Amino acid sequence: MEKERIEELERKISSLEEDVARLKSLVYKTNSPRPKTVHAPPKQREETIKRPAQTAAKSSQAIEEPVDWEKVLFQTWLPRIFIFVFIIGVLWGFKAASDYGLMNEKAKVVLGFVVSIGFAVIGHFQIKKGRLVLGQVLVGGAIPILMLTTFAMHSLYHLAGPTLAFILNASWIILGIIATVFYRSQALGIISAVGGVLVPFLIESNSPNALVFIGYETLLYIAFLYVAIKQKYSILYVLSAILLNLTLLIYYSFVGDNGVKELLGMAILIQHLCLISSFFLSQSVLQVYAFTLLSSLAVTYGWLLAVFDDGTTTMVLLALVIIYALGVYAVRSSKEKFEFFITYLIVAVAFFIHQLVDLREGVILYVIQGLAVYYIAMTYKNLLHQLFSYTIYILSATYILVTPIEQVLSLPTLNWVVVLASILVFIWISIQKTEQDEHDTFKVGGSIVFSILSLIFATEVTAAGTNHLSANPQTLIMTAVWLGLSIAAFVIGSLKTFKTATYIGVGILFLTLFKLVLYDLPFIPMAIRALLFIVLGAIGLIISRLFYKKK
């Protein structure tokens, strides 16, 4: 009994010793220094930091601030609208003061300059106080008041000659450009650009100089283009290009030929070269630059047709094709610029072909161009180029297909042959540049189109070659040609293990049978009719037998 108590006591002691040991280990862990922090790899740490930032960005995008319509209406649009109302009121006030004899001409001119200076000063202080839109509108309103005052001084009151008026107005435009850059206001630039193009129209001169007018408008465009590029003003970039074309068009409509065509053409070419340079030298690809240049290319071609003779237009287009080809090579490392320059080159080549040859003679070149563009589009997976290729190819091919073949050896026959060959090339490009599962679609669809067009082509050529014969020989030759196409399709399908060609051959064979039954029978003598049906039936049986052999 006592022995059992001793054993139990020993068990308790050993249990207590284990508990004490565990307590010691816990105390040791608590007092021991903390292990060094294991830093995550830089990439992982960066991702960890980015994750909350991305989450915050997404949440900020999801929570859109409501539009402050009071600010939009009263702070943005109200001053823009009523500055024009104010200017009209000032003009009417001057007119009323003149009618009632309250103010002479010199006083009105001085007051006009004082008002414009006051606008500029007040606008400057408004901008300083943070009222940007109001201040910019006031400064911008000073420019047209200065120009209108100068116009009145020159044209209405004859207080200044044309040279002084032109210098003053040019000075106001320069001030507008400086204000545009200083205040970083696109609105000021737009007001100055619109006013600038109107300056020559506000100057009365007994001997207007076309070189001065066109040179001024061109230099003004270059100046505002430079400001638009430096300040990244997309509206001013587009508007300045439109204003130059519109101004020159108005001038041309009034002046006519009179030896100014070459000057107009040079101005438009300078504008187009400036647009090419700005897009080429831009660090980032801006869509507004790209599409403005594309529009300018079409407008430039229209101007070339209007102001230059055919020889000069052809040479200029050739120069543009070379420039765009060099541009394609120069920007090959930039995917977006490369694709846009390819587009410009495509359009320029299309214009060059149109200028170089007559549509009837040069339509083959458009078919070839459409194929080339399709190859480029499929290589670089560019949807815009694909649309260009489809448009060029379909329009040119349709023109060829609807042109009747009147002689076997003729240009329409050659055009047809090119179209048929181009379809095969089209199928080959599609198979080379698409996924494996799309190959059968292009093979089958292209083969059907090719076969139908081949049948139409053979029919037209046969009809053209046999038009001097009577009805019976024509019918026999046409049937023989159709049978030949059917046999050729079946042979190709058998040799190349291309089932679609085999099915097409059988289809043409049935078409030949329907033609014989529904159309040819009344015109064919009984003996010939028997021979044709024997031949046709024999061919059908042979083809059927070959199908069994293949199986």
Side-chain angles (χ1 to χ4, degrees), residues 455 476-489 505 508-510 512-513 516 532 535-537 539-540 543:
L455 190 61
L476 290 174
I477 294 173
M478 187 71 71
T479 303
V481 170
W482 282 33
L483 284 173
L485 285 176
S486 173
I487 294 170
I508 296 175
L509 187 65
F510 275 101
T512 307
L513 177 61
L516 280 173
L532 283 176
V535 172
L536 189 61
I539 292 174
I543 289 175

Side-chain angles (χ1 to χ4, degrees), residues 216-230:
Y216 165 81
E217 295 289 353
T218 305
L219 291 175
L220 184 72
Y221 165 73
I222 294 173
F224 280 105
L225 176 68
Y226 178 77
V227 172
I229 293 172
K230 292 294 288 184

Side-chain angles (χ1 to χ4, degrees), residues 149-319:
T149 304
T150 305
F151 168 73
M153 181 177 65
H154 164 62
S155 298
L156 301 181
Y157 309 142
H158 305 289
L159 298 176
T163 304
L164 177 60
F166 182 82
I167 293 173
L168 286 175
N169 275 323
S171 301
W172 310 146
I173 299 306
I174 293 172
L175 287 176
I177 294 175
I178 294 172
T180 299
V181 177
F182 182 78
Y183 294 113
R184 298 182 180 277
S185 171
Q186 183 170 211
L188 284 173
I190 292 172
I191 293 172
S192 302
V194 174
V197 299
L198 294 177
V199 165
F201 297 100
L202 301 177
I203 307 298
E204 289 184 358
S205 177
N206 295 325
S207 55
N209 191 315
L211 179 60
V212 172
F213 177 87
I214 297 173
Y216 165 81
E217 295 289 353
T218 305
L219 291 175
L220 184 72
Y221 165 73
I222 294 173
F224 280 105
L225 176 68
Y226 178 77
V227 172
I229 293 172
K230 292 294 288 184
Q231 302 297 322
K232 297 181 179 179
Y233 293 154
S234 58
I235 298 176
L236 182 60
Y237 184 91
V238 177
L239 182 65
S240 58
I242 294 173
L243 286 174
L244 178 62
N245 282 275
L246 187 60
T247 304
L248 296 182
L249 183 61
I250 293 172
Y251 180 77
Y252 181 54
S253 65
F254 281 107
V255 176
D257 191 351
N258 292 335
V260 301
K261 285 186 173 182
E262 290 76 11
L263 292 174
L264 292 170
M266 290 300 298
I268 295 299
L269 286 176
I270 290 172
Q271 181 195 49
H272 192 67
L273 292 175
C274 288
L275 291 173
I276 293 174
S277 302
S278 63
F279 181 64
F280 178 77
L281 297 174
S282 61
Q283 298 297 323
S284 57
V285 178
L286 300 178
Q287 299 291 324
V288 67
Y289 287 13
F291 288 106
T292 301
L293 180 54
L294 182 60
S295 302
S296 174
L297 180 56
V299 173
T300 300
Y301 181 52
W303 273 103
L304 292 177
L305 293 175
V307 301
F308 288 144
D309 56 52
D310 289 341
T312 305
T313 301
T314 303
M315 294 304 297
V316 172
L317 286 173
L318 177 60

Side-chain angles (χ1 to χ4, degrees), residues 492-523:
I492 291 172
S494 300
L495 294 178
K496 299 292 184 180
T497 63
F498 183 35
K499 288 186 178 180
T500 304
T502 304
Y503 298 149
I504 289 172
V506 175
I508 296 175
L509 187 65
F510 275 101
L511 281 176
T512 307
L513 177 61
F514 293 150
K515 175 178 173 293
L516 280 173
V517 173
L518 300 177
Y519 179 77
D520 295 339
L521 285 181
F523 307 100

Side-chain angles (χ1 to χ4, degrees), residues 541-551:
L541 292 173
I542 292 171
I543 289 175
S544 176
R545 178 68 182 84
L546 290 175
F547 267 110
Y548 277 105
K549 185 177 179 181
K550 287 174 65 178
K551 290 183 179 181

